[in-house]
Amino acid sequence: MRHSVLIAVTALAAGCALYSDVSISPLMLSPGSIERGSDLPSMLRKSDYVRAVEQASTVDAKNKRSANELLSLGTAEMAAGRFDEARRHLRAALDLEPFRTTYAETAWTLSQLEYMRNNFEASLDWAHVAADHGLVVRKWHMDFLELLKNIDTYRFRGPAAERVPLRIGRPDVPRIEVTVNKTKNVIAIVDSGAVMSIVSRKFADSVPIRKIGNFEGTFAGLLGEPIQVEFGMIESLQIGKMIIENVPVAIMPDDKMKFIVTGKNEFSIEFLLGAHLLKETRIELDFRRNQATFTHLTAADRVAAPDQNLFWDHFRPTVRGVINRKGWFVFVLDTGSEVTFLNSAQTSSLPVQLFTKVHNATLQGLGGAKKHGDKVDDVEIGIDRWAGTFRTIPMYDAGSPEHEHTSGIIGENYLKNFIVTIDFGRMRLDLVPVLRVPMGEVEGQDTATGNQMPR
């Protein structure tokens, strides 16, 4: 097995006429239409994480527990953001001295867990344990963790919450103005689909942003093509009066961050605020007033809600939802994507009727990769308490084996109909509808920007 890390996928769909009509209504769902797993492995397969973590007391009460059972439980707890519980069960699995492959899988899961908690030294230690038991972990990832292990990342100063203007334009993704290293202002895309924050080489040089390490990492683009990146450290990132110190970023070549949008105009990305930074906050995107509010989460804020619907999957936030009133299905929550789309790799398991209607939407990825896909008409996607009926929804390949099981991406053409609260403390996506004038058929684009730490 080869386990790589920090893969990036940035995409923008342009040159097409996609319907942006999304009709919002209360979600009407019959409990009988939700598939449930009968044991922990099947609960994981069906992404029924809430029910899986509820099995903890039953597992703990057993006189004899299996390492695989504890690994499944710990994996579910990690996906649910319940890191302390996950650590306890994963360590208990290792105490049973399982087979080499199970031991490696458990150690790698612990490495991912500690990465999410910014415990980079522990993450590095567990990555070494996983490698010692047969997993192939890329050397540059080890080098990256080595650089971070003595740095106090994401150190917040100033007000605990800050409200700033939210900018929306072509491409239709949320942007805010931030100040980098107290010297340079830049418009940054709020991109929950990107695991790590990314800056262009030109912007990194202009600030300048301090480069860390003398090695390159390999990100994978939309079609799996390799993109070489370097790494840097932003000493000070300011959102309003809120200051975040020691923010690690990937530095990407300029030509890999350029896209052709409406009218063959060039759109260059300078800065993406990725999920590894955003996870430190509760974010409210108010598309009615064009305001964004960022609230720094404390340890006391990190208590998952009993009805949580937000989870982690390969270091990207995902939300559990339904398609045509059947579920559960897992969608990547991607504020950096204009377009909501379905994963064509999951066609056989999705409750939709595909008539192979080809649309001319071109999904552009980092590095210039392009792909096309089919489309499906009249699809209802339900998230939280609300259903969005899409007149037309495109389908694309997921882009990487790690996300073949995800059912698609929830993008801005759905999210902009709500006041959106992404609470990484309670692990809840809360949606409050806003009244909007229907837009009709427009030229659609997708800046689905992501990078993940795949298995």
Side-chain angles (χ1 to χ4, degrees), residues 289-448:
R289 297 185 175 90
N290 288 333
Q291 294 177 338
T293 304
F294 295 82
T295 304
H296 177 218
L297 296 173
T298 66
D301 297 320
R302 296 190 180 277
V303 180
D307 60 343
Q308 73 175 99
N309 59 4
L310 194 62
F311 303 92
W312 293 107
D313 187 314
H314 294 89
F315 299 86
R316 290 201 291 183
T318 61
V319 61
R320 188 173 66 171
V322 298
I323 301 176
N324 291 337
R325 305 185 185 184
K326 296 184 183 298
W328 296 106
F329 298 96
V330 172
F331 300 89
V332 176
L333 177 63
D334 194 347
T335 57
S337 172
E338 269 196 317
V339 177
T340 298
F341 59 88
L342 297 177
N343 179 8
S344 60
Q346 289 287 316
T347 299
S348 60
S349 62
L350 299 180
V352 299
Q353 240 179 341
L354 180 63
F355 296 102
T356 318
K357 295 182 178 180
V358 178
H359 58 73
N360 62 343
T362 301
L363 194 67
Q364 303 177 59
L366 287 175
K370 297 180 180 180
K371 67 167 65 174
H372 298 269
D374 300 326
K375 66 178 180 179
V376 184
D377 294 337
D378 299 320
V379 175
E380 180 186 281
I381 294 179
I383 304 294
D384 191 24
R385 296 171 293 118
W386 302 97
T389 301
F390 293 78
R391 182 176 175 182
T392 297
I393 191 166
M395 300 189 74
Y396 296 103
D397 187 271
S400 66
E402 290 76 21
H403 289 89
E404 287 180 351
H405 66 284
T406 59
S407 299
I409 280 180
I410 297 296
E412 284 300 305
N413 61 337
Y414 176 85
L415 295 173
K416 69 183 181 182
N417 295 282
F418 304 93
I419 299 172
V420 178
T421 301
I422 306 173
D423 190 337
F424 290 113
R426 297 175 56 246
M427 296 301 291
R428 278 282 306 176
L429 172 68
D430 291 306
L431 304 174
V432 177
V434 297
L435 296 177
R436 287 188 173 274
V437 178
M439 294 179 63
E441 186 175 354
V442 298
E443 186 168 354
Q445 301 174 9
D446 174 20
T447 52

Side-chain angles (χ1 to χ4, degrees), residues 75 115 134 140 146 188 278 297 335 363:
T75 300
Y115 184 92
W140 68 261
E146 184 72 36
L278 299 177
L297 296 173
T335 57
L363 194 67

Side-chain angles (χ1 to χ4, degrees), residues 176-358:
I176 62 171
E177 185 175 41
V178 299
T179 303
V180 177
N181 290 348
K182 302 179 182 179
T183 59
K184 195 172 183 68
N185 292 350
V186 64
I187 301 300
I189 296 175
V190 181
D191 192 350
S192 62
V195 167
M196 189 175 182
S197 299
I198 305 174
V199 298
S200 68
R201 164 55 64 191
K202 180 179 179 181
F203 178 72
D205 291 342
S206 69
V207 176
I209 293 174
R210 176 171 58 91
K211 180 184 171 183
I212 57 174
N214 295 313
F215 59 90
E216 290 186 336
T218 304
F219 281 21
L222 182 65
L223 301 179
E225 70 283 3
I227 303 172
Q228 299 303 116
V229 300
E230 297 178 313
F231 297 98
M233 185 68 65
I234 293 177
E235 296 176 6
S236 171
L237 175 66
Q238 192 166 335
I239 302 174
K241 295 182 180 180
M242 176 187 289
I243 298 173
I244 312 167
E245 297 175 333
N246 298 334
V247 178
V249 293
I251 303 172
M252 190 167 287
D254 299 332
D255 62 326
K256 306 300 184 183
M257 299 182 71
K258 292 182 179 179
F259 304 89
I260 303 300
V261 295
T262 308
K264 297 185 178 181
N265 295 317
E266 186 178 271
F267 174 69
S268 297
I269 299 174
E270 290 189 291
F271 196 0
L272 302 171
L273 303 178
H276 198 243
L277 165 63
L278 299 177
K279 77 181 190 318
E280 304 295 322
T281 68
R282 179 172 59 251
I283 309 160
E284 181 184 285
L285 302 175
D286 188 339
F287 295 102
R288 177 182 52 185
R289 297 185 175 90
N290 288 333
Q291 294 177 338
T293 304
F294 295 82
T295 304
H296 177 218
L297 296 173
T298 66
D301 297 320
R302 296 190 180 277
V303 180
D307 60 343
Q308 73 175 99
N309 59 4
L310 194 62
F311 303 92
W312 293 107
D313 187 314
H314 294 89
F315 299 86
R316 290 201 291 183
T318 61
V319 61
R320 188 173 66 171
V322 298
I323 301 176
N324 291 337
R325 305 185 185 184
K326 296 184 183 298
W328 296 106
F329 298 96
V330 172
F331 300 89
V332 176
L333 177 63
D334 194 347
T335 57
S337 172
E338 269 196 317
V339 177
T340 298
F341 59 88
L342 297 177
N343 179 8
S344 60
Q346 289 287 316
T347 299
S348 60
S349 62
L350 299 180
V352 299
Q353 240 179 341
L354 180 63
F355 296 102
T356 318
K357 295 182 178 180
V358 178

Side-chain angles (χ1 to χ4, degrees), residues 141-156:
H141 173 58
M142 300 287 203
D143 293 339
F144 181 65
L145 293 176
E146 184 72 36
L147 287 173
L148 295 184
K149 73 177 187 179
N150 295 318
I151 299 176
D152 183 13
T153 57
Y154 307 118
R155 189 170 62 220
F156 280 72

